[in-house]
């Protein structure tokens, strides 16, 4: 045998021994193998955050790994959306967001993301009505008095919101349009802090989801002027709608969806979607949703295809009224 041949057979033998020692290629860890981040685009304690934390607690049980809620603040929610669009698509970063995913495409002419192309869709979650409230210091006690007061006082009235792209801002824009008046907007990083300001009387008016406002309304900490759905809601059966109180056709319903950066592994998308569906049937989640006036969407809407189609329809729906209002962030 030549030396070269000898060396070849030695190295072949060494390779075989090493492969035998190493054993079979390690099996891939089943998903999820570590904590998952669920990004919320607004401040802790606010309505989107409450919904996210309720879901995260239940999904943590279902997935066997912690779902950590992370509040990424700024620019009416768009800072968080941009961050998730750029996050590694490994199935460990998700986003929960509301109508702002659609309306920001109209309000911001230079967005660093495209909601229709930069995300994978997990599913729709829940629809939530909004409530129009005044601070206890506000003179009007009901919607008729508020309409009169708003027309007389205009920009002396401070309206809190969570920035351009927030549903509180959307509700305020539609309200001012319907009343033909202009308030002074006071933006916060979420309606958690905006509610604190309303309770303290530092701002006069806030329109916000029932997921945060119901306890304050029931505790008589604010003045309730009305709800933003076309018909009355079960959680506040005595509260009139804005629609029946002189603002015919007024309607804002807040919808929530869960997204991932584009290109996550299909098995992660499937597993996370299943965990979301299971959470939406969890009695603890259902009870909390009922308590806070949130309506969990039907099974058929808890899907990627339903969220994608809904998002597209919402971008089309809000384009004309928001362009007519002429409010742009840039
Ligand atoms: N309610 C919010 C909004 O106005 C945001 C939040 O959840 O804090 O969009």
């Amino acid at each position: 045998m030549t030396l070269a041949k000898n060396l070849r057979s030695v190295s072949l033998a060494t390779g075989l021994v090493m492969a035998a020692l190493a054993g079979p290629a390690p099996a891939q860890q089943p998903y999820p193998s570590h904590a998952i981040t669920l990004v919320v685009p607004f401040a802790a304690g606010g309505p989107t955050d409450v919904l996210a934390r309720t879901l995260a607690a239940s999904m943590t049980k279902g997935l066997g790994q912690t779902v950590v809620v992370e509040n990424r603040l700024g620019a009416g929610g768009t800072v968080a959306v941009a961050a998730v669009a750029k996050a590694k698509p490994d199935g460990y970063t998700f986003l929960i967001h509301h109508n702002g995913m659609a309306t920001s495409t109209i309000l911001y002419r230079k967005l660093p993301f495209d909601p229709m192309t930069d995300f994978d869709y997990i599913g729709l979650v829940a629809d939530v009505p909004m409530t129009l409230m005044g601070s206890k210091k506000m003179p009007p006690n009901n919607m008729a008095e508020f309409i009169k007061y708003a027309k007389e006082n205009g920009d002396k009235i401070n309206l809190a919101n969570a920035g351009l792209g927030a549903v509180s801002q959307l509700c305020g824009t539609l309200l001012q349009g319907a009343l033909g008046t202009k308030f002074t907007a006071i933006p916060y990083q979420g309606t958690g802090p905006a509610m604190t300001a309303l309770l303290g009387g530092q701002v006069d008016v806030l329109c916000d989801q029932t997921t945060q406002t119901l306890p304050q309304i029931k505790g008589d900490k604010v003045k309730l002027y009305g709800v933003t759905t076309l018909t009355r809601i079960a959680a506040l059966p005595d509260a009139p709608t804005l629609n029946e109180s002189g603002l015919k056709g007024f309607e804002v319903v807040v919808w929530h969806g869960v997204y991932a950066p584009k290109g996550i592994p299909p098995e992660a998308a499937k597993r996370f979607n299943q965990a979301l569906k299971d959470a939406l049937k969890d009695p603890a989640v259902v009870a909390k949703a009922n308590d806070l006036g949130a309506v969990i969407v039907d099974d058929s809407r808890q899907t990627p295809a339903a969220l994608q189609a809904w998002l597209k329809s919402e971008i089309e729906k809000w384009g004309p009224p928001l362009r007519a209002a002429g409010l742009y962030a840039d």
Side-chain angles (χ1 to χ4, degrees):
M1 219 185 253
T2 65
L3 180 63
K5 251 194 185 161
N6 261 334
L7 284 177
R8 254 204 315 273
S9 52
V10 168
S11 72
L12 185 68
T14 318
L16 288 174
V17 169
M18 281 175 64
L21 284 177
Q28 270 224 309
Q29 291 246 42
Y31 172 87
S33 61
H34 58 85
I36 294 171
T37 300
L38 180 60
V39 176
V40 170
F42 300 104
T48 314
D49 183 72
V50 166
L51 185 60
R53 285 177 199 272
T54 305
L55 287 173
S58 177
M59 291 176 79
T60 294
K61 287 185 271 161
L63 290 163
Q65 294 289 347
T66 311
V67 177
V68 181
V69 170
E70 184 184 314
N71 303 83
R72 293 288 292 259
L73 312 181
T78 59
V79 166
V81 185
V84 173
K86 282 202 293 288
K88 200 166 158 205
D90 57 2
Y92 288 90
T93 303
F94 292 87
L95 167 75
I96 184 163
H97 201 358
H98 58 33
N99 313 41
M101 195 70 169
T103 57
S104 62
T105 63
I106 302 139
L107 298 167
Y108 292 74
R109 285 169 291 195
K110 284 181 245 120
L111 271 184
F113 57 83
D114 181 344
M116 292 311 303
T117 55
D118 294 344
F119 295 88
D120 281 344
Y121 306 96
I122 302 301
L124 284 157
V125 176
D127 294 332
V128 183
M130 300 189 88
T131 45
L132 179 66
M133 303 154 299
S135 87
K136 285 294 232 181
K137 291 185 185 164
M138 278 283 279
N141 289 312
N142 54 46
M143 192 59 191
E145 290 175 18
F146 175 73
I147 292 175
K148 187 165 175 287
Y149 184 83
K151 289 185 174 166
E152 286 166 5
N153 290 278
D155 62 8
K156 286 202 219 90
I157 299 172
N158 288 332
L159 172 87
N161 68 39
L164 267 184
V167 283
S168 44
Q169 194 276 335
L170 176 67
C171 178
T173 300
L174 298 177
L175 181 66
Q176 291 169 85
L179 294 171
T181 186
K182 201 121 197 64
F183 303 138
T184 300
I186 314 283
Y188 292 85
Q189 303 268 43
T191 45
M195 176 59 96
T196 306
L198 188 76
L199 295 173
Q202 288 94 33
V203 295
D204 304 316
V205 183
L206 173 65
C207 183
D208 198 23
Q209 291 111 293
T210 55
T211 24
Q212 163 165 256
T213 66
L214 270 183
Q216 312 295 357
I217 292 166
K218 290 189 169 163
D220 198 27
K221 303 272 176 3
V222 292
K223 290 191 177 182
L224 174 64
Y225 296 140
V227 296
T228 65
T229 41
L230 281 180
T231 54
R232 292 189 181 204
I233 60 171
L236 287 170
D238 298 332
T241 64
L242 301 194
N243 177 46
E244 75 186 63
S245 308
L247 303 186
K248 190 118 203 71
F250 192 101
E251 185 185 23
V252 190
V253 177
V254 184
W255 54 271
H256 301 82
V258 174
Y259 307 81
K262 182 107 197 144
I264 65 167
E267 64 279 10
K270 213 167 145 223
R271 182 84 178 85
F272 203 74
N273 172 264
Q274 190 56 52
L276 176 65
K277 285 182 155 171
D278 293 344
L280 293 173
K281 287 192 185 62
D282 178 344
V285 172
V286 173
K288 181 114 190 205
N290 287 340
D291 270 2
L292 297 178
V295 180
I296 292 172
V297 302
D298 291 347
D299 276 24
S300 65
R301 297 183 70 215
Q302 297 165 11
T303 64
L307 174 56
Q308 185 174 19
W310 182 254
L311 176 65
K312 186 165 178 286
S313 72
E314 282 283 293
I315 292 173
E316 284 159 9
K317 169 181 166 177
W318 290 111
L322 290 181
R323 281 190 196 100
L327 262 185
Y328 294 108
D330 42 53

